[in-house]
Amino acid sequence: MSFDEWLEQVEQAGIVRFLPVTHRIGAAAVALPEHHKGPQDRLIIATALHFKAKLLSFDGQFPLYRELNGVLLPNNV
C-alpha cells in the first residue's frame, strides 16, 4: 500500500482529520511570536487555535507560546 493510499484509509476511517491552511490561518501564524525560525510550527499552532483543537507536541518551544494556554496538552498524556 502506498503512503497516499494509507492516508486516504486513515482519513476515511475517521482516525485523522486533515485541516486546510487558509489565508486567515496563515495571517495568524505570521502574527505569532517567532519562538521558531521556521514557519511550519507556527502554522501548526495557528491551525490548532483556529479550529479550537487540542494540540500535543514534544517540541520544547511550544510551551513558550502563551496563546497555547489551555490548548497544549501535556506531552505525558
Side-chain angles (χ1 to χ4, degrees):
M1 173 184 312
S2 72
F3 183 66
D4 188 53
E5 291 169 325
W6 179 81
L7 282 177
E8 188 174 327
Q9 285 187 9
V10 168
E11 183 178 28
Q12 288 176 354
I15 298 168
V16 170
R17 180 176 168 210
F18 294 99
L19 303 172
V21 176
T22 65
H23 70 280
R24 285 199 169 107
I25 292 171
V30 169
L32 286 169
E34 290 194 24
H35 299 304
H36 282 92
K37 297 296 181 198
Q40 298 85 350
D41 291 310
R42 291 191 305 275
L43 280 172
I44 291 167
I45 291 167
T47 301
L49 294 171
H50 179 79
F51 286 100
K52 296 176 177 58
K54 295 293 183 182
L55 183 59
L56 177 64
S57 175
F58 291 95
D59 188 312
Q61 298 296 97
F62 275 43
L64 298 175
Y65 289 92
R66 292 180 303 192
E67 297 83 358
L68 290 177
N69 287 344
V71 174
L72 188 61
L73 297 171
N75 61 20
N76 61 354
V77 172

